[in-house]
Amino acid sequence: MVAKATIVAGEHELPDDAHARIAAALVAEGEGERALFDREASAARAVAWLYRSAAPAARVQQLLGRIPGVRGLAIYEVEATDVHGAHHAPPPADERGRLHAVPGIRKVTFHRRLPDVTRDEYLRRFRWHGAIAEVHHSNAGRYRQNEVTNYIGPPERSADGVSEHWYASVDYALEHHFARADSPQVVSDDVAEWLDRSTAVGGYARVWHWS
């Protein structure tokens, strides 16, 4: 099943009161998530935080533009597909709108297609990569692909897709991201033909969900 959403990401750390204001603004727009990245465990170019919202990109931009100190945003409208893994159970009705910690961590990667790869070819290969991930990243409790359909933000932070893998911990992710001995080579051979690994931005984040 394909679900539409908006992902907004920031490179700069924010104080707790700014995060509280962002969450309050987006909770009113429907289901969503907050992810705060572990800077030590993540790549040097990783984002500091991201939010996922059911609201369209233009609405998210409008809401966050009213919050002092929030700047340099990268906003991605996406179509998301869960390739494998189960959804977490929704909270009780009287808990709706509150942030609930999601167990474990999430490995998140923003990536672009190679310059000579068309968007149609990129989407075909990205979707096919889901079948490879089911085998070679089978240790992930869940894997979601996000295809970017609209982008608002600095050109250097644009992306064609966002991949998300769920793991029990950062240590587990680092040790078991590849499920088999041949997995690193199989995955590398596949993505080398369509994904620009030099511009990929990834990290490990703790996530909170609201509904």
Side-chain angles (χ1 to χ4, degrees), residues 10-191:
E11 290 185 313
H12 307 288
E13 302 287 352
L14 292 176
D16 290 344
D17 61 333
H19 279 298
R21 293 186 66 176
I22 292 172
L26 295 181
V27 161
E29 300 296 313
E31 186 175 12
E33 295 176 330
R34 175 175 69 191
L36 301 181
F37 285 79
D38 182 332
R39 290 295 210 163
E40 293 185 3
S42 303
R45 297 180 59 237
V47 299
W49 52 268
L50 69 79
Y51 284 81
R52 185 184 199 92
S53 174
R59 176 61 173 162
V60 171
Q61 182 184 37
Q62 177 189 41
L63 290 168
L64 271 60
R66 301 171 181 169
I67 301 174
V70 178
R71 66 189 192 281
L73 298 178
I75 304 175
Y76 312 84
E77 230 167 22
V78 303
E79 293 184 347
T81 303
D82 281 304
V83 178
H84 68 78
H87 291 274
H88 51 270
D94 60 353
E95 291 292 304
R96 299 292 165 85
R98 298 185 183 181
L99 274 67
H100 294 265
V102 177
I105 60 94
R106 196 171 308 173
K107 183 179 189 293
V108 183
T109 307
F110 295 80
H111 47 77
R112 301 178 193 165
R113 65 186 187 270
L114 289 167
D116 59 347
V117 173
T118 67
R119 176 169 172 78
D120 285 347
E121 177 64 7
Y122 163 82
L123 291 176
R124 186 184 73 81
R125 294 300 301 266
F126 188 23
R127 292 165 187 169
W128 171 249
H129 186 73
I132 294 175
E134 282 194 90
V135 174
H136 296 281
H137 297 312
S138 59
N139 292 323
R142 182 177 170 190
Y143 171 51
R144 179 165 63 196
Q145 293 183 327
N146 303 275
E147 299 174 1
V148 177
T149 57
N150 182 35
Y151 172 70
I152 302 170
E156 67 274 12
R157 294 176 60 197
S158 65
D160 294 300
V162 185
S163 301
E164 299 174 88
H165 298 81
W166 277 247
Y167 290 106
S169 67
V170 172
D171 287 343
Y172 186 87
L174 292 172
E175 294 177 10
H176 300 287
H177 182 57
F178 295 108
R180 304 186 339 189
D182 64 337
S183 294
Q185 190 63 54
V186 172
V187 172
S188 178
D189 289 347
D190 175 60
V191 301

